[in-house]
Amino acid sequence: YGCRTKPNKYIQLFAFRKIIGNRERCKDLVQKDYPVFIDKVEDHTDCKIHNGHFISPLEHFVPGILPAESIKARFQFIVPKKWKRHRPVCIHLAGTGDHFFWRRRTLMARPMIKESGMASLLLENPYYILRNVKKPKDQLRSSLKNVSDLFVMGGALILESAALLHWLEREGFWPLGMTGISMGGHMASLAVTNWPKPIPLIPCLSWTTASSVFTTGVLSRAVNWRELEKQYCAHPVYEEEIINMLEYCGTDSFRMGQEFVKNAPGSFDRLSDLDLTHDLLDLHSPERDHQMGLRSSCSQPGTGGHASDSALLMGRRERDGLDQMLSAVSSSGPHLDMLHAKNITCGAGQRHSLQRESLCFMKGVMDECTHIANFSVPVDPSLIIIVQAKEDAYIPRTGVRSLQEIWPGCEVRYLNGGHVSAYLFKQGLFRQAIYDAYDRFLQKYSSL
């Protein structure tokens, strides 16, 4: 992530965030008859796969903020040949790097048809390959060029999810719910806050805000802190105007950032030699998955629905080593290249002060646009089941308000292991949480 965003774009995004953060103001932004189109239907032995598209509603409200290639939203709707009970559909939003549909289709959608007869709708993220054919030359894999692109993606997915939920209702599907893993889980959480009815939500490996992910988690290394610092220094409007727009999240985000930096360790040498190569972070290419032996439970005749939990990808030795590494990162405290003691060499503390201020700004704008507390509480939090990894170094929970505090009545389930191992080996438990949330919905709202 870089930071080449013009200040007026932040002002525009913050203003729109305050609209979509309020369900009463946002619920009618997307019409119930919003047009959705099916382009092609594929017939398979166990299901039918509908490929479709629609225009992102965000383009109507903030014209030009999406890249031209991302205006057309694309999705895949995987429907069982025979329904078991009702016509349930779960919308799956994509995690970081989850381009195309094949991973969600293989690991979640088709096993869900086999296990419970539940349909799945898979939506492609803005900026990703299917929605960005002319991807900028300097955009590498899933790395967005600008911090603000993450906020644009979130706003688009919130409105696009509403369009799809309306469409599914019109087509007679019920009950409807949403899920996602990692970033997909967080985006699903934001989308559900705007839906005006009770709805099952199952966010997996996500938490209350993206700010901790990019300022204290492993992915802090994915941010171009030097570019952020340079732009913050060049535009006084960041400090003079934008900071005053930051929303209160129970504890002031900007001041929390100031306190974090002020109290951060004087040296971050413990993590200076950590090499987060693409081999670790880029676990999302079909070629690499093929090399590591990725298989779906439905491709193994005679196995149960949870076969993927034990048969995926790595041997136990590699898995344990990965968990130990990620746990070590998580327990070593915050780490940022921009605050590393070796990099702070300027005289008079001027450089150090600028680094601190730009970090505070980053935390503030991240919380403004992604903190769950800045959005409405879902209509029925008891229908929410959150699945978390105990040793997740990607999604730090220390010093962050808990979802139980923000959404009283929701359930949190903790899995052993870290972010990557849970993603690779716990898909069956994610699916079980989905089934449990839908059963809970049917018990409470069978007459809807």
Side-chain angles (χ1 to χ4, degrees):
Y1 293 84
C3 184
R4 303 167 195 170
T5 306
K6 295 180 179 179
N8 64 340
K9 188 172 184 181
Y10 279 117
I11 295 172
Q12 188 181 27
L13 284 169
F14 290 177
F16 189 67
R17 203 288 303 158
K18 294 181 191 303
I19 295 174
I20 62 175
N22 185 314
R23 183 165 53 245
E24 289 305 309
R25 297 178 67 187
C26 181
K27 64 181 182 181
D28 297 322
L29 288 181
V30 181
Q31 303 98 325
K32 293 184 178 180
D33 59 351
Y34 194 88
V36 175
F37 306 96
I38 297 298
D39 305 314
K40 182 176 69 171
V41 179
E42 303 171 17
D43 200 346
H44 296 258
T45 55
D46 58 337
C47 64
K48 287 189 176 182
I49 299 179
H50 303 254
N51 294 277
H53 79 275
F54 58 98
I55 301 302
S56 176
L58 184 63
E59 177 63 15
H60 301 308
F61 297 105
V62 194
I65 201 164
L66 276 170
E69 299 83 11
S70 288
I71 291 173
K72 182 182 287 188
R74 299 184 185 277
F75 66 90
Q76 202 167 82
F77 186 29
I78 298 140
V79 182
K81 287 284 187 72
K82 184 177 180 181
W83 298 96
K84 292 185 178 180
R85 185 176 60 141
H86 306 294
R87 299 175 73 202
V89 180
C90 188
I91 297 177
H92 301 247
L93 298 189
T96 302
D98 194 356
H99 297 267
F100 302 109
F101 305 116
W102 69 271
R103 187 171 293 104
R104 283 172 287 165
R105 184 177 63 238
T106 303
L107 297 180
M108 296 293 285
R110 296 187 86 155
M112 286 170 64
I113 285 178
K114 181 178 180 181
E115 295 165 2
S116 69
M118 185 180 295
S120 294
L121 193 151
L122 319 178
L123 177 62
E124 177 82 341
N125 284 343
Y127 299 97
Y128 278 20
I129 290 174
L130 284 181
R131 292 177 62 172
N132 203 12
V133 178
K134 301 175 183 177
K135 188 164 64 173
K137 294 178 181 178
D138 53 350
Q139 180 175 320
L140 179 65
R141 296 187 178 90
S142 308
S143 298
L144 302 178
K145 290 177 61 180
N146 307 307
V147 172
S148 62
D149 292 344
L150 182 66
F151 310 149
V152 173
M153 180 187 289
L157 289 172
I158 289 172
L159 298 181
E160 290 166 14
S161 297
L164 289 170
L165 288 167
H166 283 311
W167 177 68
L168 290 168
E169 278 193 337
R170 295 200 308 269
E171 296 296 319
F173 296 100
W174 183 89
L176 308 177
M178 295 195 68
T179 189
I181 300 173
S182 193
M183 182 182 73
H186 191 77
M187 295 299 183
S189 299
L190 297 180
V192 163
T193 65
N194 280 281
W195 189 243
K197 301 177 183 178
I199 182 171
L201 168 66
I202 308 88
C204 303
L205 309 181
S206 67
W207 203 232
T208 53
T209 177
S211 68
S212 58
V213 175
F214 293 103
T215 58
T216 65
V218 169
L219 289 182
S220 64
R221 283 182 174 264
V223 178
N224 186 342
W225 293 104
R226 296 303 183 199
E227 185 67 27
L228 175 68
E229 180 186 319
K230 196 176 357 176
Q231 187 168 8
Y232 180 82
C233 182
H235 295 280
V237 67
Y238 285 125
E239 183 174 4
E240 296 167 0
E241 185 172 350
I242 294 178
I243 284 174
N244 292 327
M245 298 180 67
L246 302 183
E247 191 83 2
Y248 184 77
C249 294
T251 305
D252 189 289
S253 298
F254 182 61
R255 289 179 181 170
M256 280 181 65
Q258 292 176 313
E259 285 299 310
F260 158 68
V261 178
K262 184 171 67 176
N263 297 322
S267 171
F268 295 92
D269 285 333
R270 284 174 292 181
L271 290 177
S272 61
D273 297 324
L274 180 61
D275 182 20
L276 294 176
T277 64
H278 291 298
D279 285 339
L280 171 60
L281 293 178
D282 190 27
L283 293 172
H284 301 286
S285 68
E287 294 78 14
R288 180 159 183 80
D289 290 344
H290 177 73
Q291 291 169 3
M292 299 175 77
L294 178 59
R295 301 188 299 276
S296 124
S297 58
C298 31
S299 67
Q300 300 171 14
T303 61
H306 301 286
S308 60
D309 291 348
S310 58
L312 286 178
L313 298 181
M314 288 192 226
R316 181 173 300 275
R317 180 177 177 184
E318 289 83 355
R319 190 190 328 167
D320 292 343
L322 182 59
D323 270 343
Q324 290 171 10
M325 189 281 290
L326 293 180
S327 299
V329 175
S330 182
S331 63
S332 296
H335 172 72
L336 294 170
D337 275 347
M338 62 172 287
L339 287 178
H340 196 288
K342 292 179 181 178
N343 292 335
I344 301 173
T345 57
C346 295
Q350 184 177 4
R351 168 75 169 169
H352 197 181
S353 175
L354 182 59
Q355 290 171 330
R356 291 171 184 268
E357 289 182 25
S358 56
L359 172 60
C360 292
F361 176 78
M362 176 69 165
K363 176 169 176 52
V365 296
M366 281 276 182
D367 277 339
E368 168 65 27
C369 292
T370 70
H371 202 298
I372 292 294
N374 277 340
F375 294 78
S376 299
V377 175
V379 173
D380 187 351
S382 72
L383 302 177
I384 302 171
I385 299 178
I386 300 131
V387 185
Q388 269 287 313
K390 290 181 179 178
E391 292 136 17
D392 195 329
Y394 283 80
I395 316 289
R397 296 187 295 274
T398 304
V400 179
R401 290 181 67 192
S402 72
L403 280 173
Q404 297 102 310
E405 178 188 347
I406 299 170
W407 292 341
C410 70
E411 178 187 348
V412 180
R413 299 179 180 179
Y414 290 96
L415 310 176
N416 291 324
H419 192 89
V420 176
S421 64
Y423 176 83
L424 299 178
F425 306 111
K426 305 296 183 181
Q427 303 277 344
L429 298 178
F430 299 158
R431 297 196 299 272
Q432 187 58 53
I434 293 173
Y435 308 149
D436 293 345
Y438 274 69
D439 287 343
R440 195 173 295 173
F441 175 88
L442 290 170
Q443 290 171 9
K444 295 187 70 172
Y445 300 103
S446 59
S447 60
L448 286 182

